[in-house]
Amino acid sequence: MRGQHLQFYPLSEGALTVSFATGIHDTTNTQIRQLMNDLDKRRFPGYIEAVPSYTGVTIFFDPAHVAGAAMKGSSICEKVECLLRERIGALGESEQASTGKTIAIPVCYGGDYGPDLAAVAAHNHLSVEDVINRHCAGDYLVYMIGFAPGFPFLGGMDPAISAPRRKQPRAVIPAGTVGIAGGQTGVYPLETPGGWQLIGRTPLVLFDPERKQPSLLAPGDRVRFEAISAKTYEHMKEAGR
Amino acid sequence: MSISILKGGLLTTVQDLGRKGYLHQGVVEGGAMDRLALRSANLAVGNEEGAACLEMTLLGPAILFKQASLICVAGKGMTPYMEGKPYPLGAAISVPAGQELTFKTARQGARAYLAIAGGIDVPAVLGSRSTYLRAKLGGFEGRKLEKGDLLPIGKVAEHLAPLLKKADKQGCPLVSNWHVNGSLSDSATLSETVVRALPGSHFSMFTKESQTNVFDMSFTIQNNSDRMGYRLQGEAPLLRETKEELLSEAVTFGTVQVPPDGEPIVLMADRQSTGGYPRMLQVAAVDLPKLAQMRPGDTFSFKKITLEEAQYFYLQQELAMQQRKVGIALKQAEWLAQ
């Protein structure tokens, strides 16, 4: 992974972002996960945590700790940048990206569970069944978790079912609701406001603070949606309680 | 040990220094808005800097101490009263059992922090006792405090026990002759209405005029501001040169995002983990406590500084905090010896 064009820019006194690329690519995501793994396994003095995005990683650290640490570089940011350059340079050789798990997410499409399904179909001149079939046909990569606890940003949706965000966001979206915004699809883990087009709902719990890994999904995981009936939805919901 | 909430106040929540290590799962950091005030209040009562306190907003609560307690109220926005008598902010107060703490709203400031020796002992959720209201996570049942709530208090350090006994015996609060509410480092020399900030990673995306304006004009904090973000209104909207959509990435406390309407939002303690609006500025960490004490309707301006300056000020502030820690420990020992 040498010779590639890395960009570093500070977010604050205690955060530095490294960017690998400008667009959404599977290969960038692999690099990002390798770096995340490496940072987690070999924590440097003052390291707090790291947040992946579509294009890079933001590393949070304690400036006071880094300032005093024996690291290459004169300023605080330079020290962290030097360390990251070294780590990234060595990634391809030593570090394996964690192989993500594949998770099936059962979804009851349409009706009260997905009030915008018909609108998404109409927007794309498709039947409701077409939208469901195309949404279920996809193999989605979890690029990042953000916005709300456990909210996955998924890539790989069929562009034929993309739909713009709603002009007026809804004040309350029930937990488990599956939405579409532009070419992205995702699942609302908690009851929150939101502006995505809602096409269905899953009985799975995407975020549970009681679990060892509270977020069901992690970057690098693969997701497949499976259509279920309202009866199955209610049954699974009941069983999950 | 517990305290009883007689009146919840406007927005009283349990907060510490926030959740670390879960941002990549989308879990917000949260924690106290004014971290210097929380840290100082904790030190004044012999707690760890990051112990859980009550964050009280604008209109304070009423609290009954069922047992003798050592407390400190630091921050701004309200004056503590006990049995009708006002007490100074930032002082340590030894309170006899059965006394009631109330507050009067002050003219300036938004948040005060009540630290109690032993700390507020609600269970830690994902490594923090902070309340995150939107996800009903942590703190006291994930919500703001209401009349009738009973909050558990941790064990008071043994060496402080004589102080608590003394006040209990005398039947009236004992107040320290020192306080921890002064500002740290250089922020005292800077006007109250100036907030230092560095150009953010998308600064150059804005028009030349907006790049100048953002440091020239003043901004008013709008009413729909909260722990998640301060919405600002300037004299003119901040406009971008281009309109391309950005991909979401990490944001942090003090990141100034500008949505298409040109009215900036400063992200505060309960900010989301990632954001997709252009990041025009980043408020210097040393001035976040000052911003956290501003209320809707307050006006301020941004002063441009460099990253190196911001880091220098931050290190100075942390050094001053270490000195405050030592100073308080000495004063406490003196107080105990009296």
Side-chain angles (χ1 to χ4, degrees):
Chain A
M1 276 182 213
R2 287 171 203 285
Q4 66 177 324
H5 187 61
L6 296 176
Q7 267 198 306
F8 290 87
Y9 43 91
L11 173 62
S12 71
E13 294 91 334
L16 183 71
T17 301
V18 52
S19 170
F20 292 92
T22 47
I24 303 179
H25 311 288
D26 272 26
T27 49
T28 315
N29 185 256
T30 306
Q31 287 179 301
I32 288 169
R33 280 183 292 122
Q34 285 181 326
L35 179 59
M36 288 291 291
N37 268 352
D38 185 61
L39 286 167
D40 190 47
K41 272 199 284 189
R42 298 192 290 142
R43 296 171 172 237
F44 63 86
Y47 173 82
I48 300 173
E49 59 188 307
V51 180
S53 71
Y54 284 110
T55 56
V57 178
T58 300
I59 293 96
F60 290 86
F61 51 86
D62 171 5
H65 217 110
V66 171
M71 287 158 73
K72 267 189 244 167
S74 55
S75 69
I76 295 171
C77 258
E78 236 179 74
K79 286 185 181 199
V80 180
E81 185 179 325
C82 282
L83 179 128
L84 288 174
R85 278 191 190 278
E86 274 175 27
R87 296 265 182 113
I88 293 165
L91 278 183
E93 296 139 34
S94 63
E95 191 61 31
Q96 290 297 306
S98 62
T99 29
K101 48 192 187 297
T102 299
I103 292 180
I105 297 190
V107 178
C108 178
Y109 287 94
D112 286 347
Y113 303 103
D116 300 327
L117 180 63
V120 171
H123 176 80
N124 291 298
H125 310 289
L126 293 171
S127 71
V128 159
E129 286 70 31
D130 271 341
V131 175
I132 297 173
N133 289 338
R134 283 172 189 265
H135 195 257
C136 288
D139 179 18
Y140 301 90
L141 177 63
V142 180
Y143 276 89
M144 57 192 277
I145 305 287
F147 169 69
F151 188 104
F153 284 84
L154 304 174
M157 193 180 73
D158 186 342
I161 57 170
S162 70
R165 282 182 174 76
R166 286 168 54 87
K167 284 204 181 74
Q168 278 290 322
R170 285 186 171 89
V172 179
I173 291 176
T177 303
V178 179
I180 288 177
Q184 314 177 89
T185 184
V187 188
Y188 286 93
L190 304 164
E191 191 182 287
T192 53
W196 290 29
Q197 304 279 357
L198 312 181
I199 59 167
R201 204 183 302 165
T202 178
L204 294 191
V205 177
L206 270 85
F207 183 83
D208 179 357
E210 304 285 317
R211 281 197 296 241
K212 191 163 167 268
Q213 281 291 320
S215 177
L216 178 69
L217 302 170
D221 287 349
R222 297 264 167 190
V223 165
R224 294 193 79 95
F225 292 107
E226 287 171 358
I228 55 168
S229 66
K231 204 170 154 191
T232 310
Y233 172 92
E234 294 301 338
H235 200 78
M236 289 181 74
K237 190 87 189 153
E238 202 54 44
R241 267 195 193 111
Chain B
M1 284 271 292
S2 62
I3 56 169
S4 172
I5 306 298
L6 306 176
K7 236 168 44 182
L10 181 67
L11 175 63
T12 306
T13 56
V14 178
Q15 298 293 344
D16 57 18
L17 290 176
R19 276 186 182 87
K20 310 263 190 241
Y22 294 92
L23 286 177
H24 68 286
Q25 297 196 35
V27 180
V28 308
E29 186 184 358
M33 291 276 275
D34 179 348
R35 300 191 178 199
L36 280 187
L38 176 126
R39 292 165 74 186
S40 299
N42 272 325
L43 291 176
V45 298
N47 288 349
E48 290 286 321
E49 271 180 53
C53 292
L54 292 188
E55 180 178 276
M56 309 172 292
T57 317
L58 293 170
L59 204 65
I63 295 165
L64 176 70
F65 294 95
K66 301 192 146 188
Q67 293 89 10
S69 309
L70 180 64
I71 67 163
C72 174
V73 179
K76 275 174 148 190
M78 56 192 80
T79 312
Y81 275 74
M82 226 143 357
E83 309 294 311
K85 195 174 162 240
Y87 283 83
L89 283 169
I93 311 167
S94 180
V95 187
Q99 296 229 329
E100 194 183 318
L101 174 68
T102 55
F103 295 90
K104 252 189 198 160
T105 302
R107 280 219 194 98
Q108 280 187 329
R111 286 160 242 274
Y113 294 82
L114 170 65
I116 304 173
I120 306 217
D121 198 21
V122 293
V125 178
L126 303 179
S128 163
R129 293 179 168 82
S130 287
T131 316
Y132 176 43
L133 292 170
R134 271 167 219 263
K136 302 185 181 76
L137 195 76
F140 186 79
E141 297 175 3
R143 60 169 171 83
K144 66 176 191 168
L145 299 183
E146 286 161 13
K147 181 182 171 177
D149 291 343
L150 273 182
L151 270 81
I153 304 300
K155 207 168 170 325
V156 179
E158 217 154 281
H159 75 280
L160 297 170
L163 204 56
L164 275 77
K165 272 195 198 120
K166 202 160 146 191
D168 221 16
K169 224 179 195 173
Q170 295 189 1
C172 69
L174 290 175
V175 57
S176 66
N177 61 3
W178 45 271
H179 70 89
V180 297
N181 223 35
S183 74
L184 286 162
S185 67
D186 71 315
S187 36
T189 60
L190 201 69
S191 157
E192 272 303 303
T193 57
V194 171
V195 168
R196 291 166 291 187
L198 15 145
S201 44
H202 297 133
F203 189 74
S204 61
M205 280 185 181
F206 288 82
T207 64
K208 285 276 168 280
E209 198 187 1
S210 288
Q211 290 184 22
T212 314
N213 276 350
V214 74
F215 293 115
D216 278 353
M217 60 189 183
S218 59
F219 292 92
T220 305
I221 298 169
Q222 300 188 51
N223 282 330
N224 53 355
S225 298
D226 58 15
R227 281 182 44 89
M228 186 175 179
Y230 277 12
R231 290 163 183 275
L232 308 181
Q233 183 154 41
E235 289 140 44
L238 298 167
L239 300 173
R240 273 172 67 185
E241 204 74 75
T242 55
K243 285 219 167 9
E244 83 268 23
E245 287 283 313
L246 301 171
L247 291 170
S248 292
E249 64 178 67
V251 288
T252 190
F253 205 161
T255 302
V256 182
Q257 293 199 122
V258 183
D261 67 4
E263 294 191 345
I265 301 169
V266 193
L267 299 178
M268 302 298 280
D270 276 354
R271 70 204 171 270
Q272 71 278 21
S273 58
T274 59
Y277 292 127
R279 300 179 292 276
M280 190 180 190
L281 301 176
Q282 175 67 37
V283 174
V286 282
D287 286 347
L288 287 172
K290 182 194 266 186
L291 198 56
Q293 289 296 352
M294 290 189 195
R295 321 170 162 185
D298 282 354
T299 295
F300 70 92
S301 58
F302 289 112
K303 179 179 189 263
K304 188 179 188 172
I305 60 167
T306 64
L307 177 68
E308 286 69 29
E309 287 172 312
Q311 284 176 338
Y312 173 77
F313 294 140
Y314 177 82
L315 295 179
Q316 291 296 107
Q317 189 186 60
E318 285 307 297
L319 187 64
M321 195 72 204
Q322 290 311 309
Q323 286 163 349
R324 174 172 280 182
K325 194 172 177 173
V326 175
I328 291 170
L330 291 172
K331 292 282 187 191
Q332 256 170 4
E334 216 173 84
W335 199 28
L336 275 159
Q338 275 170 16

